[in-house]
Amino acid sequence: MLFAPASCPRLIVKIGSALLVDGGGGVRRGWLAGITADIAARARAGQQVAVVSSGAIALGAGRLGLAKGGRASLEDAQAAAAVGQIALSQVWAEVLAAEGLTAAQMLVTLGDLEDRRRYLNAAATLDRLLSLGVVPVINENDSVATAEIRFGDNDRLAARVAQAAAAQGVVLLSDVDGLFDRNPADPAARRIDRVERIDAAIEAMADTRSASGMGSGGMVSKIAAARIANAAGAHLAIASGQIDRPLSTPAPHTLFVAEKSAPARKAWLAGGLTARGTIHIDAGAARALKDGASLLAAGAIRLEGDFSRGDPVAIAGPDGTMARGLAEYDADDARRLLGCRSEEHAALLGYAPRTALVHRNHMALI
Ligand code: GLU
């Protein structure tokens, strides 16, 4: 089984427009019921699954009768997305509920995931939803994103979501069943089963077109997604969704293997940026951090510096600097929480608190 729950506690499944929407602009309910059954089986086996679902533009275009699948202009695409998204989330909520699962909708833009403050918000929401057993259904917020701040394709969005959720695997389901060494229409074309490193030869195999003409992702965006996911420590598979139960039926695919070194994001946290402050912690908290825990305010003794939420900070234990991470609070608010237990935080701050001063997903030990 691709990305079995035991080796992949968190999985991101990206579903292309052509799988969800038929040529007449209707939802492919039978197929959707199949993949939802797959997701439910994985959830029962303990895997946390988030779905990145395309299809808003295609669905909306069908309902509005727009030409070129709603992609004739940015305005058309944005209007189609607004109409289609509400239908898409309703369908997901229904099919997941039929399997006893709760759906959540998250609409994000590139800007949301590039800005550190907003990235932390999105990551925290995603983490909480997944740990509550809810299935987040994520799409780009197409109706507000302008050309400059759009992902444009959900392949890269899925990879960024994997990074934010610290997932171990990403499956890109579409109408292609992998990366081929030349145009797949050529009878001599051969699928590449496994890619250990994305080099110039691999890039050269990509073809810019989306085969269905419905979505916007082609092989170029899939390889860009693989690069992001692999650098963040997640494996990525390009697999065909043109079978009924694509997450439980063995089928040929291309697997892009995650980088073995520390994920790039952690490396970036560990060395890349100048810390804007230092949080000093006690011996107990230092031990907890080494065991992979988040930094809780109860274990923090003192703060130096003036940082804002999302800024990189150093964390110093009794033996010196031991980690770096992104601050979950502005320095002034963090100071108020020093040494205090989580139950006290809401009263001290006057607003709903974060779970940690620095979350483990945004921290690297050094
Ligand atoms: N966000 C677009 C939609 O919902 C899909 C983008 C893509 O084709 O990858 O229609």
Side-chain angles (χ1 to χ4, degrees), residues 69-152:
R71 291 174 188 265
S73 68
L74 185 57
E75 290 84 348
D76 271 10
Q78 293 189 302
V83 170
Q85 185 60 44
I86 199 166
L88 191 61
S89 35
Q90 188 182 356
V91 169
W92 274 112
E94 271 170 33
V95 291
L96 287 166
E99 293 285 349
L101 292 167
T102 302
Q105 173 175 267
M106 282 183 75
L107 299 179
V108 295
T109 60
L110 185 61
D112 294 331
L113 297 184
E114 301 271 283
D115 173 89
R116 283 203 301 272
R117 203 174 253 265
R118 282 184 285 158
Y119 175 85
L120 286 181
N121 290 351
T125 307
L126 200 53
D127 192 56
R128 188 71 187 121
L129 288 169
L130 287 166
S131 55
L132 285 168
V134 166
V135 180
V137 179
I138 302 156
N139 197 358
E140 184 162 16
N141 197 351
D142 289 308
S143 50
V144 300
T146 57
E148 312 78 65
I149 57 156
R150 287 185 84 208
F151 279 102

Side-chain angles (χ1 to χ4, degrees), residues 151-226:
F151 279 102
D153 67 80
N154 276 357
D155 299 321
R156 283 177 304 154
L157 174 61
R160 290 269 179 227
V161 166
Q163 183 185 44
Q168 297 78 19
V170 182
V171 191
L172 301 180
L173 292 177
S174 71
D175 45 9
V176 294
D177 57 358
L179 173 69
F180 286 78
D181 62 356
R182 66 198 76 185
N183 188 334
D186 184 334
R190 287 188 45 232
R191 182 185 306 97
I192 313 287
D193 291 331
R194 193 177 168 90
V195 177
E196 297 282 347
R197 204 169 69 84
I198 301 169
D199 55 18
I202 295 293
E203 302 268 8
M205 292 173 196
D207 170 42
T208 51
R209 285 166 298 119
S210 152
S212 68
M214 247 194 228
S216 53
M219 197 48 79
V220 169
S221 71
K222 290 181 176 48
I223 288 181

Side-chain angles (χ1 to χ4, degrees), residues 14 31 55 63 98 115 147 178 185-186 202 265 281 308 314 330 338:
K14 182 260 172 172
W31 184 87
R63 294 186 180 203
D115 173 89
D186 184 334
I202 295 293
R265 187 178 153 71
I281 63 175
S308 300
D330 295 346
L338 289 177

Side-chain angles (χ1 to χ4, degrees), residues 29-54:
R29 288 217 172 234
W31 184 87
L32 196 54
I35 186 135
T36 310
D38 279 353
I39 292 169
R42 283 171 178 262
R44 283 193 296 274
Q47 190 169 53
Q48 297 177 345
V49 182
V51 175
V52 173
S53 174
S54 300

